[in-house]
Amino acid sequence: MANTVTDISLNDGNTIPQLGFGVYQIEPKDTAEAVGRALEIGYRHIDTAEMYGNEAEVGEAVRASGLDRGDVFVTSKLNNGFHRPEDARRAFESTLAALKMDYVDLFLIHWPLPTRYDGDFVSTWKALEEFQRDGRARSIGVSNFQVPHLERLAAEADVVPAVNQVEVHPYLTNEQVRAYGREHNILTEAWSPIAQGRVLDDPTVVDVAEQVGRTPAQVVLRWHVQRGDIVFPKSTTPKRIEENFQLFDFTLDDTAMERISGLDKGEAGRTGPNPDEFDYIPA
Ligand code: NAD
């Protein structure tokens, strides 16, 4: 079986590679090299954010790769301090300037911040709708939105988010948010897909990995792929970047899929902040 990354259709007609490369917590000085390595291996989708402080280095790596801009899917995100529409417009321009690109493939509201801005993320979303209309964001979406946040956008906005990027891994399978997405044509992007490494020593994961002759990281990432979610594991280790790319030349049977899904701990499995409460605004 050839290892070919699946392209998935978004609700706006664009397509996204189901596997990408995440750059959260990669130091700016290490980013161009890691992204360059990922592009060499065959990744064609990079997930960055203004908050990660490495957009410029992502852009640099894409240019240095020699690939056409149109061959690499680039996502960035609006930082928490810029939810007011006039700030969002300026922040989006800064993102494009840092990347040295005239468009991003996908732009997301990073966090809903329901306790900030008088609970208004709708006017922020309408600013993203502008960026899509003027062509500078080919697709737009949200991140860390809970079901009530998505319901509010459905009631008050024109465009349905193309994706919702949320924490999902075997210890937090996040079924309610995923189900809402399935029903409303919003693709789920699973962040921290291997729970930053925490699920890799799990005896069930290790057992499934031994059965199929793959590594724990590969079986967990393959589990996401078979559930239809989009993933972008992060690593700066070339061997792991390569390992995490080999997901499309094997399958997990139903029993293996169910065993991994059965590891869900619900809220107790969350590794990141709870989006209903998270209110961090960088200085
Ligand atoms: P991850 O689940 O991808 O885990 C990354 C860590 O796991 C690495 O630091 C490394 O230590 C380890 N690792 C990676 N590959 C491995 C392998 N093959 N074997 C053993 N260990 C391995 O965690 P993440 O970086 O938090 O999430 C991935 C991406 O999701 C981020 O880079 C970012 O793009 C995105 N993200 C988004 C949000 C958001 O709020 N939208 C939050 C967190 C992450």
Side-chain angles (χ1 to χ4, degrees):
M1 210 198 279
N3 184 50
T4 308
V5 177
T6 307
D7 278 324
I8 312 192
S9 294
L10 299 167
N11 63 17
D12 56 16
N14 294 326
T15 59
I16 182 170
Q18 193 177 6
L19 173 64
F21 183 70
V23 298
Y24 175 47
Q25 291 177 330
I26 304 188
E27 293 290 327
K29 68 173 176 42
D30 302 325
T31 302
E33 191 182 329
V35 172
R37 185 82 196 110
L39 293 171
E40 245 173 62
I41 289 167
Y43 291 81
R44 292 291 179 268
H45 165 184
I46 311 295
D47 185 88
T48 184
E50 203 271 349
M51 199 185 285
Y52 307 164
N54 54 20
E55 289 170 312
E57 292 75 13
V58 166
E60 188 186 316
V62 171
R63 280 188 300 285
S65 71
L67 292 163
D68 287 343
R69 169 68 187 90
D71 290 337
V72 186
F73 191 102
V74 177
T75 299
S76 195
K77 314 183 190 90
L78 181 73
N79 208 339
N80 294 348
F82 308 127
H83 275 214
R84 290 196 184 83
E86 65 275 20
D87 296 333
R89 290 184 196 106
R90 269 195 298 273
F92 182 57
E93 274 168 27
S94 303
T95 281
L96 293 177
L99 287 163
K100 294 204 179 99
M101 291 178 180
D102 51 15
Y103 70 91
V104 287
D105 295 278
L106 178 62
F107 195 62
L108 310 179
I109 300 180
H110 206 147
W111 289 89
L113 307 176
T115 64
R116 295 271 188 182
Y117 302 102
D118 298 321
D120 172 26
F121 44 73
V122 177
S123 62
T124 315
W125 177 249
K126 288 183 188 276
L128 268 66
E129 290 181 349
E130 281 170 32
F131 309 154
Q132 185 177 37
R133 270 198 303 276
D134 69 27
R136 293 180 301 158
R138 298 262 166 105
S139 296
I140 54 173
V142 293
S143 179
N144 300 300
F145 273 45
Q146 305 275 54
V147 171
H149 308 142
L150 296 169
E151 284 172 339
R152 177 141 177 231
L153 284 189
E156 298 181 41
D158 296 323
V159 177
V160 177
V163 306
N164 184 21
Q165 182 177 128
V166 290
E167 181 177 348
V168 186
H169 46 69
Y171 290 161
L172 177 71
T173 60
N174 224 334
E175 300 306 347
Q176 272 187 319
V177 174
R178 292 180 69 254
Y180 183 95
R182 255 195 321 278
E183 286 154 22
H184 296 84
N185 214 3
I186 301 168
L187 282 175
T188 298
E189 297 193 320
W191 65 249
S192 292
I194 54 174
Q196 298 201 327
R198 287 180 183 82
V199 296
L200 302 182
D201 297 330
D202 187 282
T204 300
V205 170
V206 171
D207 190 46
V208 171
E210 280 168 5
Q211 277 179 16
V212 299
R214 295 286 174 146
T215 67
Q218 287 172 326
V219 299
V220 172
L221 294 168
R222 178 69 207 178
W223 169 82
H224 286 282
V225 165
Q226 286 185 211
R227 281 156 54 94
D229 292 352
I230 295 160
V231 284
F232 22 80
K234 170 254 169 181
S235 175
T236 47
T237 313
K239 210 174 143 292
R240 288 176 173 175
I241 301 176
E242 211 161 318
E243 174 184 328
N244 297 344
F245 190 69
Q246 302 297 317
L247 308 181
F248 295 87
D249 55 354
F250 74 107
T251 53
L252 297 175
D253 64 18
D254 291 348
T255 310
M257 288 295 293
E258 282 159 23
R259 286 182 71 199
I260 299 174
S261 300
L263 298 174
D264 184 27
K265 302 176 199 268
E267 276 306 310
R270 203 182 272 288
T271 63
N274 184 323
D276 288 321
E277 293 154 14
F278 190 59
D279 64 357
Y280 169 70
I281 293 191

PDB file of all heavy atoms in Angstrom, residues 74-94:
ATOM      1  N   VAL A  74      -1.204  26.131   4.325  1.00  0.00           N
ATOM      2  CA  VAL A  74      -0.702  26.833   5.518  1.00  0.00           C
ATOM      3  C   VAL A  74      -1.867  27.382   6.333  1.00  0.00           C
ATOM      4  O   VAL A  74      -2.710  28.121   5.824  1.00  0.00           O
ATOM      5  CB  VAL A  74       0.249  27.987   5.122  1.00  0.00           C
ATOM      6  CG1 VAL A  74       0.714  28.760   6.359  1.00  0.00           C
ATOM      7  CG2 VAL A  74       1.449  27.460   4.347  1.00  0.00           C
ATOM      8  N   THR A  75      -1.879  27.004   7.610  1.00  0.00           N
ATOM      9  CA  THR A  75      -2.893  27.495   8.553  1.00  0.00           C
ATOM     10  C   THR A  75      -2.233  28.420   9.566  1.00  0.00           C
ATOM     11  O   THR A  75      -1.146  28.126  10.064  1.00  0.00           O
ATOM     12  CB  THR A  75      -3.510  26.312   9.342  1.00  0.00           C
ATOM     13  OG1 THR A  75      -4.141  25.427   8.438  1.00  0.00           O
ATOM     14  CG2 THR A  75      -4.530  26.800  10.377  1.00  0.00           C
ATOM     15  N   SER A  76      -2.892  29.549   9.880  1.00  0.00           N
ATOM     16  CA  SER A  76      -2.483  30.313  11.062  1.00  0.00           C
ATOM     17  C   SER A  76      -3.736  30.728  11.833  1.00  0.00           C
ATOM     18  O   SER A  76      -4.864  30.431  11.408  1.00  0.00           O
ATOM     19  CB  SER A  76      -1.606  31.513  10.698  1.00  0.00           C
ATOM     20  OG  SER A  76      -0.985  31.984  11.897  1.00  0.00           O
ATOM     21  N   LYS A  77      -3.505  31.372  12.983  1.00  0.00           N
ATOM     22  CA  LYS A  77      -4.628  31.626  13.897  1.00  0.00           C
ATOM     23  C   LYS A  77      -4.536  33.018  14.503  1.00  0.00           C
ATOM     24  O   LYS A  77      -3.443  33.528  14.750  1.00  0.00           O
ATOM     25  CB  LYS A  77      -4.625  30.584  15.027  1.00  0.00           C
ATOM     26  CG  LYS A  77      -4.428  29.161  14.546  1.00  0.00           C
ATOM     27  CD  LYS A  77      -4.507  28.125  15.653  1.00  0.00           C
ATOM     28  CE  LYS A  77      -4.062  26.771  15.141  1.00  0.00           C
ATOM     29  NZ  LYS A  77      -2.623  26.504  15.284  1.00  0.00           N
ATOM     30  N   LEU A  78      -5.704  33.569  14.780  1.00  0.00           N
ATOM     31  CA  LEU A  78      -5.813  34.904  15.384  1.00  0.00           C
ATOM     32  C   LEU A  78      -5.526  34.804  16.881  1.00  0.00           C
ATOM     33  O   LEU A  78      -6.166  34.022  17.585  1.00  0.00           O
ATOM     34  CB  LEU A  78      -7.238  35.428  15.176  1.00  0.00           C
ATOM     35  CG  LEU A  78      -7.523  36.821  15.728  1.00  0.00           C
ATOM     36  CD1 LEU A  78      -6.854  37.891  14.873  1.00  0.00           C
ATOM     37  CD2 LEU A  78      -9.032  37.071  15.800  1.00  0.00           C
ATOM     38  N   ASN A  79      -4.587  35.609  17.347  1.00  0.00           N
ATOM     39  CA  ASN A  79      -4.233  35.552  18.767  1.00  0.00           C
ATOM     40  C   ASN A  79      -5.320  36.188  19.646  1.00  0.00           C
ATOM     41  O   ASN A  79      -6.130  36.995  19.178  1.00  0.00           O
ATOM     42  CB  ASN A  79      -2.872  36.232  18.978  1.00  0.00           C
ATOM     43  CG  ASN A  79      -2.133  35.650  20.176  1.00  0.00           C
ATOM     44  OD1 ASN A  79      -2.740  35.043  21.067  1.00  0.00           O
ATOM     45  ND2 ASN A  79      -0.830  35.846  20.217  1.00  0.00           N
ATOM     46  N   ASN A  80      -5.293  35.828  20.921  1.00  0.00           N
ATOM     47  CA  ASN A  80      -6.392  36.170  21.831  1.00  0.00           C
ATOM     48  C   ASN A  80      -6.583  37.662  22.105  1.00  0.00           C
ATOM     49  O   ASN A  80      -7.668  38.082  22.495  1.00  0.00           O
ATOM     50  CB  ASN A  80      -6.181  35.454  23.171  1.00  0.00           C
ATOM     51  CG  ASN A  80      -6.284  33.951  23.026  1.00  0.00           C
ATOM     52  OD1 ASN A  80      -6.734  33.458  21.992  1.00  0.00           O
ATOM     53  ND2 ASN A  80      -5.857  33.215  24.041  1.00  0.00           N
ATOM     54  N   GLY A  81      -5.531  38.436  21.912  1.00  0.00           N
ATOM     55  CA  GLY A  81      -5.650  39.871  22.186  1.00  0.00           C
ATOM     56  C   GLY A  81      -6.304  40.657  21.059  1.00  0.00           C
ATOM     57  O   GLY A  81      -6.500  41.876  21.194  1.00  0.00           O
ATOM     58  N   PHE A  82      -6.654  39.983  19.990  1.00  0.00           N
ATOM     59  CA  PHE A  82      -7.073  40.710  18.780  1.00  0.00           C
ATOM     60  C   PHE A  82      -8.486  40.370  18.318  1.00  0.00           C
ATOM     61  O   PHE A  82      -8.768  40.334  17.120  1.00  0.00           O
ATOM     62  CB  PHE A  82      -6.076  40.442  17.635  1.00  0.00           C
ATOM     63  CG  PHE A  82      -4.644  40.702  18.010  1.00  0.00           C
ATOM     64  CD1 PHE A  82      -3.672  39.731  17.824  1.00  0.00           C
ATOM     65  CD2 PHE A  82      -4.278  41.923  18.568  1.00  0.00           C
ATOM     66  CE1 PHE A  82      -2.348  39.973  18.179  1.00  0.00           C
ATOM     67  CE2 PHE A  82      -2.952  42.173  18.925  1.00  0.00           C
ATOM     68  CZ  PHE A  82      -1.984  41.189  18.729  1.00  0.00           C
ATOM     69  N   HIS A  83      -9.374  40.122  19.251  1.00  0.00           N
ATOM     70  CA  HIS A  83     -10.729  39.710  18.854  1.00  0.00           C
ATOM     71  C   HIS A  83     -11.592  40.849  18.327  1.00  0.00           C
ATOM     72  O   HIS A  83     -12.547  40.608  17.602  1.00  0.00           O
ATOM     73  CB  HIS A  83     -11.442  39.019  20.026  1.00  0.00           C
ATOM     74  CG  HIS A  83     -11.134  37.554  20.125  1.00  0.00           C
ATOM     75  ND1 HIS A  83     -12.034  36.631  20.557  1.00  0.00           N
ATOM     76  CD2 HIS A  83     -10.006  36.857  19.823  1.00  0.00           C
ATOM     77  CE1 HIS A  83     -11.483  35.420  20.532  1.00  0.00           C
ATOM     78  NE2 HIS A  83     -10.254  35.538  20.098  1.00  0.00           N
ATOM     79  N   ARG A  84     -11.288  42.094  18.733  1.00  0.00           N
ATOM     80  CA  ARG A  84     -12.117  43.182  18.189  1.00  0.00           C
ATOM     81  C   ARG A  84     -11.833  43.286  16.690  1.00  0.00           C
ATOM     82  O   ARG A  84     -10.676  43.194  16.273  1.00  0.00           O
ATOM     83  CB  ARG A  84     -11.787  44.494  18.890  1.00  0.00           C
ATOM     84  CG  ARG A  84     -12.269  44.507  20.325  1.00  0.00           C
ATOM     85  CD  ARG A  84     -12.310  45.889  20.952  1.00  0.00           C
ATOM     86  NE  ARG A  84     -12.689  45.746  22.352  1.00  0.00           N
ATOM     87  CZ  ARG A  84     -11.835  45.438  23.330  1.00  0.00           C
ATOM     88  NH1 ARG A  84     -10.538  45.305  23.071  1.00  0.00           N
ATOM     89  NH2 ARG A  84     -12.270  45.279  24.566  1.00  0.00           N
ATOM     90  N   PRO A  85     -12.881  43.480  15.879  1.00  0.00           N
ATOM     91  CA  PRO A  85     -12.698  43.411  14.419  1.00  0.00           C
ATOM     92  C   PRO A  85     -11.546  44.275  13.894  1.00  0.00           C
ATOM     93  O   PRO A  85     -10.765  43.811  13.050  1.00  0.00           O
ATOM     94  CB  PRO A  85     -14.053  43.883  13.883  1.00  0.00           C
ATOM     95  CG  PRO A  85     -15.020  43.482  14.958  1.00  0.00           C
ATOM     96  CD  PRO A  85     -14.291  43.638  16.264  1.00  0.00           C
ATOM     97  N   GLU A  86     -11.399  45.508  14.409  1.00  0.00           N
ATOM     98  CA  GLU A  86     -10.319  46.357  13.861  1.00  0.00           C
ATOM     99  C   GLU A  86      -8.949  45.777  14.222  1.00  0.00           C
ATOM    100  O   GLU A  86      -7.998  45.847  13.447  1.00  0.00           O
ATOM    101  CB  GLU A  86     -10.468  47.829  14.300  1.00  0.00           C
ATOM    102  CG  GLU A  86     -10.333  48.115  15.785  1.00  0.00           C
ATOM    103  CD  GLU A  86     -11.646  47.928  16.577  1.00  0.00           C
ATOM    104  OE1 GLU A  86     -12.567  47.221  16.090  1.00  0.00           O
ATOM    105  OE2 GLU A  86     -11.732  48.478  17.688  1.00  0.00           O
ATOM    106  N   ASP A  87      -8.844  45.156  15.410  1.00  0.00           N
ATOM    107  CA  ASP A  87      -7.586  44.514  15.802  1.00  0.00           C
ATOM    108  C   ASP A  87      -7.358  43.245  14.975  1.00  0.00           C
ATOM    109  O   ASP A  87      -6.227  42.935  14.590  1.00  0.00           O
ATOM    110  CB  ASP A  87      -7.614  44.150  17.296  1.00  0.00           C
ATOM    111  CG  ASP A  87      -7.708  45.375  18.186  1.00  0.00           C
ATOM    112  OD1 ASP A  87      -7.247  46.456  17.753  1.00  0.00           O
ATOM    113  OD2 ASP A  87      -8.258  45.264  19.303  1.00  0.00           O
ATOM    114  N   ALA A  88      -8.452  42.520  14.726  1.00  0.00           N
ATOM    115  CA  ALA A  88      -8.342  41.280  13.930  1.00  0.00           C
ATOM    116  C   ALA A  88      -7.814  41.604  12.534  1.00  0.00           C
ATOM    117  O   ALA A  88      -6.969  40.876  11.997  1.00  0.00           O
ATOM    118  CB  ALA A  88      -9.694  40.583  13.845  1.00  0.00           C
ATOM    119  N   ARG A  89      -8.300  42.716  11.970  1.00  0.00           N
ATOM    120  CA  ARG A  89      -7.840  43.094  10.621  1.00  0.00           C
ATOM    121  C   ARG A  89      -6.335  43.370  10.627  1.00  0.00           C
ATOM    122  O   ARG A  89      -5.600  42.918   9.752  1.00  0.00           O
ATOM    123  CB  ARG A  89      -8.599  44.325  10.114  1.00  0.00           C
ATOM    124  CG  ARG A  89     -10.051  44.021   9.797  1.00  0.00           C
ATOM    125  CD  ARG A  89     -10.795  45.211   9.202  1.00  0.00           C
ATOM    126  NE  ARG A  89     -12.224  44.939   9.289  1.00  0.00           N
ATOM    127  CZ  ARG A  89     -13.063  45.511  10.148  1.00  0.00           C
ATOM    128  NH1 ARG A  89     -12.658  46.485  10.948  1.00  0.00           N
ATOM    129  NH2 ARG A  89     -14.328  45.156  10.178  1.00  0.00           N
ATOM    130  N   ARG A  90      -5.893  44.117  11.643  1.00  0.00           N
ATOM    131  CA  ARG A  90      -4.454  44.420  11.730  1.00  0.00           C
ATOM    132  C   ARG A  90      -3.644  43.146  11.977  1.00  0.00           C
ATOM    133  O   ARG A  90      -2.587  42.937  11.373  1.00  0.00           O
ATOM    134  CB  ARG A  90      -4.202  45.413  12.882  1.00  0.00           C
ATOM    135  CG  ARG A  90      -4.243  46.866  12.457  1.00  0.00           C
ATOM    136  CD  ARG A  90      -3.632  47.756  13.540  1.00  0.00           C
ATOM    137  NE  ARG A  90      -4.386  47.660  14.787  1.00  0.00           N
ATOM    138  CZ  ARG A  90      -5.454  48.406  15.081  1.00  0.00           C
ATOM    139  NH1 ARG A  90      -5.879  49.323  14.224  1.00  0.00           N
ATOM    140  NH2 ARG A  90      -6.088  48.260  16.228  1.00  0.00           N
ATOM    141  N   ALA A  91      -4.151  42.295  12.866  1.00  0.00           N
ATOM    142  CA  ALA A  91      -3.418  41.062  13.211  1.00  0.00           C
ATOM    143  C   ALA A  91      -3.313  40.144  11.993  1.00  0.00           C
ATOM    144  O   ALA A  91      -2.274  39.513  11.767  1.00  0.00           O
ATOM    145  CB  ALA A  91      -4.127  40.338  14.352  1.00  0.00           C
ATOM    146  N   PHE A  92      -4.374  40.103  11.210  1.00  0.00           N
ATOM    147  CA  PHE A  92      -4.346  39.226  10.028  1.00  0.00           C
ATOM    148  C   PHE A  92      -3.306  39.744   9.028  1.00  0.00           C
ATOM    149  O   PHE A  92      -2.549  38.960   8.437  1.00  0.00           O
ATOM    150  CB  PHE A  92      -5.738  39.145   9.404  1.00  0.00           C
ATOM    151  CG  PHE A  92      -5.805  38.224   8.217  1.00  0.00           C
ATOM    152  CD1 PHE A  92      -5.438  36.891   8.332  1.00  0.00           C
ATOM    153  CD2 PHE A  92      -6.233  38.684   6.977  1.00  0.00           C
ATOM    154  CE1 PHE A  92      -5.483  36.032   7.242  1.00  0.00           C
ATOM    155  CE2 PHE A  92      -6.287  37.839   5.882  1.00  0.00           C
ATOM    156  CZ  PHE A  92      -5.902  36.513   6.008  1.00  0.00           C
ATOM    157  N   GLU A  93      -3.252  41.076   8.878  1.00  0.00           N
ATOM    158  CA  GLU A  93      -2.223  41.638   7.993  1.00  0.00           C
ATOM    159  C   GLU A  93      -0.826  41.303   8.499  1.00  0.00           C
ATOM    160  O   GLU A  93       0.073  40.994   7.724  1.00  0.00           O
ATOM    161  CB  GLU A  93      -2.387  43.162   7.889  1.00  0.00           C
ATOM    162  CG  GLU A  93      -3.375  43.530   6.812  1.00  0.00           C
ATOM    163  CD  GLU A  93      -3.811  44.991   6.853  1.00  0.00           C
ATOM    164  OE1 GLU A  93      -3.032  45.840   7.342  1.00  0.00           O
ATOM    165  OE2 GLU A  93      -4.942  45.263   6.396  1.00  0.00           O
ATOM    166  N   SER A  94      -0.639  41.353   9.819  1.00  0.00           N
ATOM    167  CA  SER A  94       0.683  41.016  10.393  1.00  0.00           C
ATOM    168  C   SER A  94       1.036  39.558  10.142  1.00  0.00           C
ATOM    169  O   SER A  94       2.200  39.225   9.893  1.00  0.00           O
ATOM    170  CB  SER A  94       0.710  41.238  11.904  1.00  0.00           C
ATOM    171  OG  SER A  94       0.384  42.543  12.192  1.00  0.00           O
TER     172      SER A  94
END
